[in-house]
């Protein structure tokens, strides 16, 4: 094992100090500790390999840990490895792997693995909750009356070889008291019967030729047109009176990450309009008025269409696009997104694990005053984020903030979730504003000398 990890570290060219620490850690000579002498890249490599060592000891799946390491990136040295937070029920194992927390937000990463059968896939969704609080009750019960949580779980990856999925869940504390140290993850249902996602392909290969076309047929079902939900009655006039669809599999293109659907045919039909026909696997049905297809040109979209279900697929009609619009179409990307029903499995039960969170505390700056014409009451700084209370009427939310380090280098922080509240009792707006920013890479607050926002400086003592 020592030689394997030495070779991996040499391939990634870390500092010698990181290599020595890693080898000592694998042999059990010392604990892995963060070092101020490590570069961010070397520290990330060190922590990620350490995560893999911990995973091997816990019989976790290396591919999942690799996905987690990729997800964390340069934030890996600041992530907490969670040990001993696992349970198995109904032949499925739930395991909390890692967390990344400060006073603003917690991100928890966990795996779900089928250890008995093969019931999971890339469309796995979960029902349950992740909560943080201060007291523990019975398993699966709320932690306390003041807990904070989420029921939104995001599938990061699925490894079919080991039947293991990697999920994340985020809890936003905002300017409330937090984070709470004790946490509980409870799952009550696992399902693969709903697919969702965002996928797209280029339309550059479209030609101006008329493709083989078929009548929609008696079994065809129109499940969406813009005027149904958007009040665009005037578009009805543009839709041909006789519904035709493209014949299947004329120029098929796979969609990345799924076998549930693919582009079966794409081009102009006999009605003179541009069409895309999606092929749908057996049992797959897009959600009515919930599954969408748009043509994107940069930041603009062309979303005028009609969706018609036909045998084995769905024909998408763009009634305003004709052969004379060929160059416009070729510059577009076709994007398909939204939920759809699919054959799958539902596993019900209770999976509940408790664990403790470690977080990076925020420092409240010893400064308040005027900034860009606003009165700033409080600013906090953590290795991961910046928060600000002010009377900003709305300009800060779109501005990038920068941390200035002692060596003169800067780290950008992009604006994130905030809040604007008009507390006026006289009619003149009086704003109580909470803004947040997240760094693109971690910072050491002790190395930060100032924050820069809209060309002005906030001193950091």
């Amino acid at each position: 094992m020592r030689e394997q990890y030495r070779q991996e570290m040499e391939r990634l060219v870390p500092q010698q100090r990181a290599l020595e620490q890693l080898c000592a850690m694998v042999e059990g000579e010392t604990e892995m500790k963060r070092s101020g002498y490590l570069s961010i890249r070397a520290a990330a490599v060190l922590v990620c390999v350490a995560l893999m060592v911990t995973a091997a000891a816990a019989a976790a799946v290396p591919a999942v840990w690799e996905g987690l390491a990729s997800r964390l990136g340069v934030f890996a040295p600041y992530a907490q490895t969670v040990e001993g937070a696992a349970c198995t029920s109904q032949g499925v194992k739930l395991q909390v792997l890692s967390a990344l927390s400060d006073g603003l937000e917690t991100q928890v990463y966990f795996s779900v693995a089928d250890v008995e059968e093969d019931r999971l896939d890339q469309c796995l969704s979960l029902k349950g909750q992740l909560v943080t609080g201060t007291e523990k009750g019975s398993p699966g019960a709320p932690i306390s009356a003041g807990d904070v949580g989420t029921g939104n779980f995001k599938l990061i990856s699925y490894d079919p070889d080991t039947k293991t999925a990697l999920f994340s869940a985020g809890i936003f504390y905002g300017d409330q008291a937090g984070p709470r140290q004790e946490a509980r993850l409870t799952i009550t249902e696992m399902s693969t019967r709903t697919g969702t996602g965002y996928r797209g392909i280029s339309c550059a290969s479209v030609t101006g030729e008329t493709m083989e076309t078929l009548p929609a047929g008696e079994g065809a079902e129109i499940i969406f047109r813009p005027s149904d939900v958007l009040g665009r009655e005037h578009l009805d006039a543009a839709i041909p009176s006789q519904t035709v669809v493209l014949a299947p599999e004329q120029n098929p293109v796979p969609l990345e990450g799924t076998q549930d659907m693919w582009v079966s045919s794409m081009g102009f039909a006999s009605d003179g309009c541009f069409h895309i026909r999606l092929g749908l696997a057996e049992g797959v049905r897009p959600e009515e008025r919930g599954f969408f297809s748009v043509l994107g040109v940069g930041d603009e979209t062309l979303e005028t269409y009609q969706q018609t279900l036909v045998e084995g697929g769905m024909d998408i009609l763009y009634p305003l696009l004709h052969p004379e619009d060929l160059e416009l179409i070729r510059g577009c990307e076709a994007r398909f997104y939204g939920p759809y029903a699919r054959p799958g499995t539902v596993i019900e039960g209770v999976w509940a694990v408790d664990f403790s969170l470690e977080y990076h505390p925020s420092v409240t700056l010893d400064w308040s005053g005027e900034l860009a014409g606003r009165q700033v009451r409080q600013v906090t700084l953590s290795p991961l984020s910046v928060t600000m209370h002010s009377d900003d009427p709305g300009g800060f939310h779109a501005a990038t903030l920068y941390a200035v380090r002692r060596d003169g280098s800067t780290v950008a922080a992009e604006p994130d979730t905030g809040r604007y509240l008009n507390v006026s009792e006289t009619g003149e707006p009086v704003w109580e504003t909470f803004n947040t920013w997240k760094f693109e890479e971690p910072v050491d607050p002790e190395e930060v000398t100032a924050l820069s926002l809209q060309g002005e400086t906030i001193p950091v003592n």
Side-chain angles (χ1 to χ4, degrees), residues 2 5-6 18-29:
R2 175 189 176 102
Y5 285 113
R6 182 184 293 278
L19 184 59
E20 292 170 355
Q21 276 187 300
L22 176 65
C23 294
M25 179 194 67
V26 172
E27 291 182 333
E29 298 173 359

Side-chain angles (χ1 to χ4, degrees), residues 183-203:
R184 173 176 292 127
L185 174 62
T186 304
I187 302 299
T188 57
E189 181 182 289
M190 304 179 181
S191 173
T192 59
R193 290 185 179 175
T194 301
T196 189
Y198 179 99
R199 297 174 177 88
I201 63 163
S202 170
C203 297

Side-chain angles (χ1 to χ4, degrees), residues 131-454:
V131 293
T132 61
T134 56
E135 301 176 359
K136 289 185 179 180
S138 60
I143 291 181
S144 70
D147 59 15
V148 180
T150 181
N152 183 23
F153 305 113
K154 182 177 182 180
L155 177 64
I156 298 174
S157 63
Y158 178 74
D159 179 25
D161 294 333
T162 57
K163 299 172 287 187
T164 304
L166 175 64
F167 282 86
S168 68
I171 296 178
F172 181 77
Y173 303 106
D175 57 347
Q176 305 300 312
R180 282 72 168 169
Q181 184 177 10
E182 300 302 323
R184 173 176 292 127
L185 174 62
T186 304
I187 302 299
T188 57
E189 181 182 289
M190 304 179 181
S191 173
T192 59
R193 290 185 179 175
T194 301
T196 189
Y198 179 99
R199 297 174 177 88
I201 63 163
S202 170
C203 297
S205 62
V206 175
T207 70
E209 299 178 2
T210 299
M211 305 185 69
E212 183 181 351
T213 307
L214 302 173
E218 293 184 1
E221 179 185 356
I222 296 175
I223 64 169
F224 179 83
R225 65 171 55 170
S227 58
D228 288 344
V229 294
L230 301 178
R232 300 179 180 178
E233 290 81 1
H234 63 283
L235 294 177
D236 288 340
I239 296 176
S241 57
Q242 183 177 5
T243 302
V244 298
V245 299
L246 293 179
E249 304 304 312
Q250 297 186 70
N251 47 3
V253 180
L255 295 177
E256 185 177 357
T258 183
Q259 295 181 349
D260 288 343
M261 60 183 65
W262 62 95
V263 171
S264 175
S265 300
M266 179 168 60
F268 294 98
S270 60
D271 58 6
C273 301
F274 180 62
H275 289 241
I276 298 176
R277 178 171 176 145
L278 288 182
L280 302 178
E282 185 176 356
V284 172
R285 178 187 171 95
E287 182 174 298
E288 189 168 347
R289 302 187 186 182
F291 185 89
F292 302 100
S293 170
V294 300
L295 295 183
V297 185
D299 295 331
E300 298 183 2
T301 59
L302 308 174
E303 51 186 346
T304 303
Y305 59 90
Q306 172 178 287
Q307 294 179 169
T308 304
L309 284 180
V310 293
E311 183 177 357
M314 180 175 71
D315 185 88
I316 305 166
L317 160 68
Y318 294 85
L320 301 183
L321 295 178
H322 304 99
E324 57 267 28
D325 303 306
L326 179 60
E327 291 307 311
L328 171 64
I329 295 170
R330 283 177 170 172
C332 289
E333 180 187 48
R335 304 165 186 166
F336 313 100
Y337 61 95
Y340 57 91
R342 64 193 298 273
T345 302
V346 174
I347 309 173
E348 295 181 341
V350 175
W351 295 261
V353 291
D354 293 323
F355 57 99
S356 296
L357 291 170
E358 300 171 2
Y359 65 96
H360 301 279
S362 297
V363 178
T364 300
L365 303 189
D366 186 20
W367 176 88
S368 63
E370 185 174 320
L371 183 77
R374 289 87 155 173
Q375 288 298 316
V376 178
R377 299 186 299 277
Q378 179 180 290
V379 180
T380 71
L381 169 67
S382 87
L384 312 177
S385 64
V386 172
T387 73
M388 178 184 293
H389 287 271
S390 71
D391 64 357
D392 171 44
F396 287 163
H397 78 281
T400 301
L401 179 145
Y402 297 89
V404 183
R405 294 185 286 213
R406 295 185 189 280
D407 62 3
S409 62
T410 61
V411 180
E414 295 302 325
D416 203 75
T417 306
R419 184 188 68 249
Y420 294 87
L421 179 63
N422 183 3
V423 296
S424 172
E425 296 180 355
T426 64
E428 281 294 318
V430 178
W431 296 101
E432 286 189 0
T433 302
F434 177 67
N435 288 109
T436 70
W437 292 263
K438 291 183 182 177
F439 287 113
E440 63 183 12
E441 66 181 53
V443 301
D444 181 352
E446 294 185 359
E447 291 297 314
V448 177
T449 61
L451 302 176
S452 176
L453 179 64
Q454 292 192 336

Side-chain angles (χ1 to χ4, degrees), residues 65 68 80-87 93-99 107-112 130 166-167 183-186 352-357:
W65 286 93
L68 175 57
Q80 166 196 358
T81 300
V82 180
E83 298 182 4
C87 70
K93 181 179 180 180
L94 173 71
Q95 181 176 3
V96 178
L97 306 175
S98 183
Q107 286 288 334
V108 173
Y109 301 91
F110 62 95
S111 64
V112 176
L130 169 67
L166 175 64
F167 282 86
R184 173 176 292 127
L185 174 62
T186 304
V353 291
D354 293 323
F355 57 99
S356 296
L357 291 170

